[in-house]
């Protein structure tokens, strides 16, 4: 079994990015900048944003974290987004999800300058991505594609199953696999024949947010499993949506949790920030 080591690959890619950032700085005395807006006290968001800010620091990307209390008005966040849209030192803007219920994700994302939308959530980026044009692509599925490429996992002509259809992970993942030549099936909470779909798939991506959801289903011998889930158990242990131990001897390749998709997501965020920066030079 091949362990798809996202930690190792992200370190390799980020070290290459650091070199590019430094070389560019030597020539121009400018660096990319990422702004992260965090609203409220969600402890997981605090950890994720901390990791993103640290990664920026390590690579030489300027970063700012903008904090708002849970009760902040939509108007106030929109004013900040517009300020960052105009700020020449900022090339990427990210609003850490989830946001409080009284705020509209759609309204906030639509106000963002699409050229700075490093999460790929603006409708313009979504539309371009759907059409197969150059766009900023959501970080998690983009990171997964880079991981599959690094380990030379064949996609063309394969049968792929994506479990989960969120706009952040499942849906863009299914589109990327489709664009890469796989025949894709998307499963969700209304799917009736999941067992059968699992048995048929060459590549299975699980992104639903339920600890060890994939554990009893039969899979094809030699299938590739990508586990996107990050679930913290009451014991504090971090587990994915897939029972790694159960499948490690059946799958031909599998991602661990932690150390699989998570680090690739952060890596793609920084690479998207670099892409946005270069597009404005
Ligand atoms: P989400 O928005 O809650 O979407 C969950 C999806 O799973 C929905 O499409 C839902 O179907 C589907 N689903 C729920 N129960 C199901 C079931 N029993 N059978 C089949 N499908 C089911 O979640 P998300 O934002 O995509 O995140 C999914 C997981 O990935 C979470 O654990 C999250 O923490 C993790 N995540 C990890 C990274 C990373 O970098 N590793 C990044 C983002 C997210 P319906 O559409 O029918 O409701």
């Amino acid at each position: 079994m091949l362990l798809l080591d996202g930690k190792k690959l992200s370190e390799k890619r980020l070290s290459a990015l650091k070199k590019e950032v430094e070389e560019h700085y030597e020539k121009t005395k400018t660096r990319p900048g990422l702004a992260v807006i965090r609203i409220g006290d969600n402890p997981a968001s605090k950890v994720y944003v901390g990791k993103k800010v640290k990664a920026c620091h390590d690579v030489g990307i300027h970063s700012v974290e903008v904090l708002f209390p849970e009760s902040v008005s939509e108007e106030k966040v929109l004013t900040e987004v517009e300020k960052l849209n105009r700020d020449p030192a900022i090339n990427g803007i990210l609003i850490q999800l989830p946001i409080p219920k009284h705020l509209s994700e759609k309204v906030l994302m639509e106000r963002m300058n699409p050229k700075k939308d490093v999460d790929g959530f603006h409708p313009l980026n979504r539309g371009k991505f759907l059409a197969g044009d150059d766009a900023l692509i959501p970080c998690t599925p983009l990171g997964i594609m880079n991981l599959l490429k690094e380990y030379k996992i064949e996609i063309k002509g394969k049968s792929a199953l994506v479990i989960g259809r969120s706009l952040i992970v499942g849906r863009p993942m299914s589109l990327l696999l489709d664009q890469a030549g796989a025949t894709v099936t998307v499963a969700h909470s209304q799917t009736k024949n999941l067992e059968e779909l699992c048995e048929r798939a060459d590549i299975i991506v699980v992104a639903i947010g339920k600890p060890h959801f994939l554990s009893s289903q039969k899979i094809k011998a030699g299938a590739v499993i990508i586990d996107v889930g990050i679930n913290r158990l009451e014991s504090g242990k971090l587990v994915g949506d897939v029972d790694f131990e159960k499948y490690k001897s059946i799958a031909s390749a599998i991602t661990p949790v932690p150390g699989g998709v998570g680090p690739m997501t952060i890596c793609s965020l920084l690479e998207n920030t670099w892409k946005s920066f270069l597009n404005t030079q």
Side-chain angles (χ1 to χ4, degrees):
M1 179 273 298
L2 186 61
L3 187 76
L4 303 175
D5 191 337
K7 184 168 181 288
K8 195 164 125 198
L9 177 59
S10 70
E11 283 167 2
K12 181 173 130 183
R13 291 180 73 100
L14 289 177
S15 131
L17 179 61
K18 181 184 166 89
K19 199 162 164 268
E20 280 190 77
V21 169
E22 289 313 327
E23 280 170 8
H24 194 277
Y25 181 77
E26 286 310 314
K27 279 190 241 142
T28 64
K29 299 290 170 226
T30 58
R31 350 180 137 261
L34 174 72
V36 184
I37 299 177
R38 181 161 67 83
I39 306 165
D41 281 326
N42 182 318
S45 293
K46 200 170 168 185
V47 173
Y48 294 146
V49 171
K51 284 186 180 178
K52 290 167 185 174
V53 169
K54 182 182 179 299
C56 283
H57 180 263
D58 292 347
V59 165
I61 292 179
H62 162 68
S63 71
V64 283
E65 190 180 352
V66 183
L67 293 178
F68 284 117
E70 185 88 19
S71 59
V72 69
S73 68
E74 195 162 271
E75 216 34 59
K76 220 166 173 180
V77 185
L78 287 173
T79 306
E80 182 63 33
V81 168
E82 279 172 358
K83 194 175 121 206
L84 294 167
N85 279 346
R86 290 190 303 270
D87 187 342
I90 296 299
N91 313 97
I93 307 170
L94 177 152
I95 301 173
Q96 183 65 39
L97 301 177
I99 55 174
K101 289 204 166 42
H102 67 281
L103 303 173
S104 160
E105 215 174 285
K106 186 167 146 51
V107 168
L108 296 183
M109 298 303 174
E110 285 183 6
R111 191 66 67 90
M112 210 181 273
N113 176 350
K115 290 191 176 138
K116 297 189 178 187
D117 165 38
V118 281
D119 255 339
F121 294 163
H122 189 281
L124 192 76
N125 281 314
R126 283 188 171 144
K128 284 184 175 176
F129 173 33
L130 183 65
D133 295 339
D134 185 44
L136 287 161
I137 291 173
C139 300
T140 301
L142 180 61
I144 293 171
M145 292 308 282
N146 286 332
L147 195 57
L148 293 172
K149 195 169 165 194
E150 172 75 9
Y151 285 93
K152 301 189 170 48
I153 305 288
E154 179 97 44
I155 299 174
K156 210 175 277 181
K158 297 292 177 187
S159 156
L161 170 65
V162 179
I163 312 178
R165 57 175 168 180
S166 73
L167 283 171
I168 302 169
V169 189
R171 238 174 241 178
M173 186 72 241
S174 61
L175 184 55
L176 283 172
L177 287 166
D178 165 82
Q179 289 173 346
T183 302
V184 185
T185 305
V186 180
H188 45 74
S189 65
Q190 309 305 312
T191 300
K192 300 264 189 262
N193 60 338
L194 188 67
E195 302 275 329
E196 186 190 322
L197 297 174
C198 287
E199 277 193 73
R200 283 211 309 255
D202 301 307
I203 300 169
I204 305 178
V205 181
V206 194
I208 69 168
K210 296 203 160 111
H212 289 181
F213 174 81
L214 197 76
S215 60
S216 58
Q217 299 84 347
K218 276 194 200 146
I219 64 159
K220 201 189 249 191
V224 173
I225 301 183
I226 304 292
D227 187 354
V228 184
I230 302 179
N231 310 288
R232 190 156 309 265
L233 301 181
E234 269 181 26
S235 63
K237 193 179 175 207
L238 212 60
V239 298
D241 288 352
V242 176
D243 184 344
F244 182 91
E245 291 304 316
K246 167 89 199 286
Y247 294 104
K248 68 177 187 195
S249 54
I250 311 169
S252 63
I254 184 167
T255 57
V257 175
V261 175
M264 291 309 297
T265 298
I266 296 182
C267 180
S268 296
L269 172 68
L270 271 57
E271 290 174 339
N272 273 352
T273 304
W274 178 239
K275 178 176 171 156
S276 302
F277 173 72
L278 293 181
N279 281 345
T280 57
Q281 298 304 291

